[in-house]
Amino acid sequence: MAIQSYESYDMLLKQFLLPHPFVPYISMLVGMFACKLVYDLNHLLSAAYFKSYSNLSKMQRIEWNNRAISTVHALFITAMSLYLVFWSDLYSDQQLNAFVTLQSSPLSTFALGVSVGYFLTDLGMIIWFYPALGGLEYVVHHLLSVASVAYAMLTGEGQLYTYMVLISETTTPGINLRWYLDTTGMKGSRTYLINGVVIFIAWLVARILLFMYLFYHLYLHYQQVKQMHIIGKFLAFGVPPILAVMNVMWFGKIFKGLKKTLAKSQ
């Protein structure tokens, strides 16, 4: 059923959207438009239904709406990544027509384009309001993300590994919820504690263990990966290790924060 569902969505894009060469550019615009739409809708809904929103400073309201964008993107790209990597047969080793490193489709390319549109929009906001929305590490993270995702989108190379990395976005909603709870004075609540535990587990699975699996998959398919263009090989062998180091560093901070929160709750 998953394969049939994938094929039906793929056919839908082919028939009712645009020919494959135009999908990357249109999908980036869709991603940017979606960011603007979510930002404006979140501003209107928050002002109407959250009393604490009006008490925030201008910069806090901007970050509040910005985090809504990243949450929606995280939910979208995590769902697409999990589906394409684990439930569809797009990147299966059983495909005989091409290496797994060269497999792509209009659906996978479209989703990557939406993600590129988000990263460009978010990077623009980070730079515009720097450093209020994030420091240098966020700029580096987004630059690496844009380069890797855009390359996979435009060339079709290494989409499997790109989606494996994008699964790590599953931690974003929890991180954002933590900020919302902290900003609205709910840092001492039970919800804050439970969310911290969920973040710890999600980070361990999606940003530590999954990266180990990614490196193992690269090792098993090394003969295929080395056939990629030199830029693709650099991104495949260079970007994941850098992100992995950043993930481990952030994981250490999350672990220390969780320990402090648990100690206070006792």
Side-chain angles (χ1 to χ4, degrees), residues 4 8 14 28 47-48 58 77 87 89 91 101 128 155 163 191 195 208 219 226 230 237 247 251 265:
Q4 291 177 350
S8 64
K14 287 180 179 179
M28 284 192 292
K58 179 180 179 181
I77 202 62
W87 280 282
D89 67 337
Y91 306 116
T101 53
W128 184 263
T155 67
Y163 275 115
T191 302
N195 183 63
I208 304 297
Y219 169 75
K226 74 177 186 178
I230 186 172
F237 291 123
N247 287 339
F251 186 65
S265 66

Side-chain angles (χ1 to χ4, degrees), residues 8-215:
S8 64
Y9 280 121
D10 209 29
M11 187 61 67
L12 183 68
L13 282 173
K14 287 180 179 179
Q15 292 181 353
F16 297 105
L17 286 179
L18 289 171
H20 186 65
F22 297 98
V23 169
Y25 310 104
I26 296 301
S27 59
M28 284 192 292
L29 293 177
V30 169
M32 293 178 181
F33 175 78
C35 288
K36 173 63 175 174
L37 181 62
V38 171
Y39 186 97
D40 291 341
L41 283 176
N42 188 71
H43 170 69
L44 293 174
L45 293 175
S46 297
Y49 296 103
F50 291 93
K51 295 181 179 180
S52 56
Y53 182 78
S54 59
N55 297 325
L56 300 176
S57 65
K58 179 180 179 181
M59 196 63 244
Q60 285 179 318
R61 289 196 296 270
I62 291 174
E63 184 168 359
W64 179 291
N65 298 325
N66 175 269
R67 287 180 179 272
I69 297 174
S70 65
T71 298
V72 172
H73 167 262
L75 294 173
F76 166 77
I77 202 62
T78 297
M80 291 300 303
S81 299
L82 290 172
Y83 173 70
L84 289 169
V85 172
F86 295 111
W87 280 282
S88 78
D89 67 337
L90 179 61
Y91 306 116
S92 171
D93 283 318
Q94 305 304 318
Q95 295 281 2
L96 301 179
N97 58 322
F99 293 157
V100 294
T101 53
L102 300 176
Q103 296 285 4
S104 66
S105 74
L107 177 60
S108 63
T109 300
F110 181 85
L112 290 178
V114 172
S115 193
V116 171
Y118 157 73
F119 280 118
L120 288 174
T121 302
D122 200 43
L123 179 61
M125 293 189 68
I126 291 174
I127 294 175
W128 184 263
F129 296 105
Y130 188 86
L133 294 180
L136 181 61
E137 69 273 16
Y138 285 90
V139 175
V140 173
H141 174 272
H142 278 48
L143 287 174
L144 291 175
S145 299
V146 169
S148 302
V149 178
Y151 180 84
M153 172 192 66
L154 293 171
T155 67
E157 281 193 339
Q159 287 194 1
L160 170 61
Y161 300 119
T162 303
Y163 275 115
M164 284 186 180
V165 172
L166 286 172
I167 292 175
S168 62
E169 286 293 309
T170 191
T171 61
T172 299
I175 296 295
N176 288 340
L177 178 57
R178 179 184 179 183
W179 183 89
Y180 286 129
L181 293 172
D182 190 9
T183 302
T184 54
M186 298 180 63
K187 192 172 183 178
S189 66
R190 184 175 181 82
T191 302
Y192 187 89
L193 175 61
I194 295 174
N195 183 63
V197 175
V198 172
I199 290 174
F200 177 83
I201 297 173
W203 199 283
L204 176 62
V205 174
R207 291 183 180 261
I208 304 297
L209 299 180
L210 184 61
F211 269 70
M212 293 181 181
Y213 173 73
L214 187 155
F215 295 139

